[in-house]
Every structure is written in C-alpha cells, then in structure tokens.
Amino acid sequence: MTLWDWALQVYARQDVADACLSLQDAHGQNVPYLLWAAWAAGEGRVADAKAAARLMKQWDAEVGAPLRGVRRALKAPFPAVADTAREPFRQALKGVELQGERVLLESLEALSGPAGPPLDVLEGLLAAAAASGDPPRRSALERLATALA
C-alpha cells in the first residue's frame, strides 16, 4: 500500500487524528513526517532519516506552515470580509494544504528503501523525531504509536 493510501486510512481513525494534531499543536511536529516514519517502520523500509528530516523541515517552513497559518487565520470571521466569501476560500485552502501534504508524503516515500521485515513503530517514530532535531516528549509519540496499533 502506498504511503498516501495508508495515511488516509489511518488518519480517518479519530484516535490517530487526535494524537497527530496534539503532536502538531502542542509539540510543533510535522504530521506527514511522523506518519511517514510510522509507515516506514511498519513496512520495514529503511531510509535516511536525516535526509527525510531536512526535506520535511524545508517543506514545512516554506509551504506547509504558511498554508496552515493562512487557513487558520481565516477560520474566524475576518473584519469587512463576508463569511460567504471567506469560508469558501478557507475550504479551498484546506484542499491545497492536503495536496501539499500528499506531495510531501510522496517525496518521503521516494526516499524510503524497499520493504522488509516490519520494525517497531515507536522506535521508528523516536528515530525520526531525533533526526528532526526537535523531538517531542516520548509519551506523545507513544500515544501515536498506540493509536496506530
């Protein structure tokens, strides 16, 4: 299964979505990167975590975070802008943001080696978080690993 298809499948589960959003909002983590790390571990794919982290950080700084920021800024009413104009624009941005996450996931998948024996998902998450240089608390990653199990 491709990373994109897997990510859509697992993110549809409320416990996974909640764990991911907590990691994003409370710990500043990149959700597609963490999903890639969990998928790669579960698939037994070995990748250069530092190269993946560099890609993720640049993408997030230049594309992901700015799109997310604009979308979030438009969530509340905007002075002198009709909600009937603001909300469709915000919804369109959500689609663009999701498309951007797909581009990142497909790029991370391309960095992954061939499938092998499954690895421990929590260990994969911890290794990816360490490679990013900004790991969250272990308990937050444990929550995601448990939700993915």
Side-chain angles (χ1 to χ4, degrees), residues 29 33-34 49-50 53-54 56-57 126-136:
Q29 298 298 297
Y33 176 72
L34 292 176
K50 289 188 180 194
R54 280 192 303 274
M56 172 273 294
K57 283 186 170 286
L126 290 168
S132 76
D134 187 25

Side-chain angles (χ1 to χ4, degrees), residues 3 17 28 52 59 72 81 125 127 139:
L3 172 55
W59 182 266
R72 286 180 173 178
V81 175
L125 289 169
S139 61

Side-chain angles (χ1 to χ4, degrees), residues 67-83:
L67 285 172
R68 187 168 47 257
V70 172
R71 177 183 51 80
R72 286 180 173 178
L74 292 170
K75 189 170 185 175
F78 206 87
V81 175
D83 287 348

Side-chain angles (χ1 to χ4, degrees), residues 2-147:
T2 68
L3 172 55
W4 174 250
D5 291 336
W6 179 85
L8 288 176
Q9 186 178 65
V10 298
Y11 197 83
R13 298 186 344 223
Q14 191 63 48
D15 56 343
V16 172
D18 290 346
C20 286
L21 291 176
S22 175
L23 280 158
Q24 176 181 278
D25 295 340
H27 300 278
Q29 298 298 297
N30 181 280
V31 170
Y33 176 72
L34 292 176
L35 290 175
W36 162 78
W39 171 84
E43 293 276 315
R45 295 176 184 260
V46 178
D48 181 345
K50 289 188 180 194
R54 280 192 303 274
L55 168 62
M56 172 273 294
K57 283 186 170 286
Q58 182 178 5
W59 182 266
D60 197 49
E62 297 177 17
V63 179
L67 285 172
R68 187 168 47 257
V70 172
R71 177 183 51 80
R72 286 180 173 178
L74 292 170
K75 189 170 185 175
F78 206 87
V81 175
D83 287 348
T84 56
R86 177 191 50 81
E87 186 56 27
F89 180 53
R90 189 177 81 82
Q91 291 300 321
L93 278 172
K94 282 173 74 172
V96 170
E97 187 180 2
L98 185 62
Q99 185 177 4
E101 289 176 350
R102 183 175 189 164
V103 169
L104 177 57
L105 284 169
E106 289 173 347
S107 299
L108 290 168
E109 182 176 7
L111 293 176
S112 305
L119 305 170
D120 183 79
V121 170
L122 178 57
E123 292 304 317
L125 289 169
L126 290 168
S132 76
D134 187 25
R137 288 188 326 220
R138 181 183 177 101
S139 61
L141 292 174
E142 288 172 345
R143 178 179 174 208
L144 177 56
T146 298

